[in-house]
Amino acid sequence: MPEFMTSPVEAFLGASPVMQALVATLFTWGMTAAGALPVFFTDRENRRLLDVLLGFTGGVMIAASFWSLLAPSIEMAADLAVPAWFPAAVGFLLGAVFLRGTDMILPHLHLNAPIDEAEGLSTTWRRTTLLVLAITLHNIPEGLAIGVAFGALAHGFDNASLGAAIALAVGIGIQNFPEGMAVAMPLRREGVGRFKSFWYGQLSGAVEPIAGVIGAAAVLFWEPVLPYALAFAAGAMIFVVVEEVIPEAQRSGHADAATLGVIGGFTVMMVLDVALG
């Protein structure tokens, strides 16, 4: 078949891991934008539903951290001259420390929190900017996780499969939908214009393609770092879940519904990883 007649699927399968990571993270960015779209049609949000979706997001991230990142990290480390648990433990801790350090420095504001609860360095930035930065910080480890998963394919490890990398991208894409909504709808409720609310909502996911390409390129050109990089992404994601996602999902008094969302998200991501991986 001539090259110009190659289907998108065939082109994706034949692309380099870095290009695959870019395409996958563009998809997850697109899902964030899709989540922000309802702001054009309504000014109201169903807070209970949003809390369930935020819980779902946390469940997906927890499951992905183990099934797609930590478990492969431990298996890949079996051939290294260190205990199998060492890369996973070190990478996991470094990922959490990195996010904690970024959390302390980058000015940001969690959803529905008053402006005087802004975290990071003191700034005069507007509430809108601080909200977007909070979700952007959340999305960095997600982009890294996808990039590392696709980058691992170049090294031919038995436990690094295209199906598992795609499952991770699909799972993160699904849970990105409520993130776009979680930024856009509160901004609209505060009087921000519809287009600007949408713009800020989708913008929060723009960092994922950047992080994805960096993650894929890093492990592509430096194979020994791969088990550590997988665990690093897992540690960063778990930090975000515990520090931001689950507390926010339970802030409005819908703890039971949000907890069921976590269970649902974990189950969906587990099934995706096992079925496609």
Side-chain angles (χ1 to χ4, degrees):
M1 179 181 292
E3 185 176 349
F4 68 87
M5 296 180 63
T6 302
S7 72
V9 173
E10 291 173 327
F12 177 78
L13 295 177
S16 69
V18 173
M19 183 58 64
Q20 289 174 336
L22 175 61
V23 172
T25 47
L26 286 173
F27 161 73
T28 60
W29 180 13
M31 289 296 290
T32 306
L37 279 175
V39 78
F40 287 111
F41 310 106
T42 180
D43 295 338
R44 298 181 179 181
E45 64 183 14
N46 184 325
R47 183 63 208 190
R48 182 182 181 87
L49 175 60
L50 182 58
D51 288 343
V52 171
L53 292 175
L54 286 172
F56 183 92
T57 292
V60 167
M61 294 175 72
I62 292 171
S65 295
F66 176 73
W67 296 99
S68 300
L69 300 171
L70 282 176
S73 171
I74 294 170
E75 294 175 12
M76 291 176 186
D79 297 329
L80 301 179
V82 295
W85 54 264
F86 184 79
V90 171
F92 188 84
L93 290 173
L94 288 177
V97 169
F98 171 78
L99 255 291
R100 174 54 181 157
T102 306
D103 191 64
M104 293 173 63
I105 296 172
L106 182 68
H108 63 284
L109 179 67
H110 295 306
L111 298 173
N112 298 304
I115 190 68
D116 58 2
E117 291 185 11
E119 299 180 13
L121 297 178
S122 179
T123 179
T124 58
W125 293 348
R126 294 192 303 174
R127 178 182 177 85
T128 301
T129 304
L130 295 173
L131 284 171
V132 173
L133 286 175
I135 301 297
T136 300
L137 178 62
H138 178 164
N139 286 343
I140 291 174
E142 296 174 5
L144 284 174
I146 295 172
V148 170
F150 278 98
L153 300 177
H155 300 299
F157 289 103
D158 292 338
N159 45 11
S161 69
L162 180 61
I166 292 174
L168 178 61
V170 170
I172 288 179
I174 292 172
Q175 61 94 38
N176 272 7
F177 186 89
E179 291 180 4
M181 184 186 303
V183 175
M185 295 305 292
L187 292 179
R188 179 58 185 161
R189 192 175 63 243
E190 293 178 6
V192 178
R194 294 185 189 278
F195 180 79
K196 185 173 287 188
S197 296
F198 167 78
W199 175 256
Y200 282 122
Q202 65 80 31
L203 189 63
S204 64
V207 71
E208 290 196 8
I210 300 171
V213 168
I214 292 173
V219 300
L220 187 64
F221 296 109
W222 193 18
E223 180 179 348
V225 80
L226 180 54
Y228 297 90
L230 288 166
F232 181 95
M237 287 212 294
I238 291 296
F239 180 90
V240 168
V241 171
V242 176
E243 199 269 343
E244 178 181 347
V245 177
I246 290 180
E248 177 58 34
Q250 300 195 354
R251 180 190 289 266
S252 300
H254 304 130
D256 291 340
T259 300
L260 291 176
V262 173
I263 299 301
F266 187 98
T267 302
V268 167
M269 187 65 234
M270 178 176 64
V271 170
L272 280 173
D273 191 88
V274 174
L276 298 180

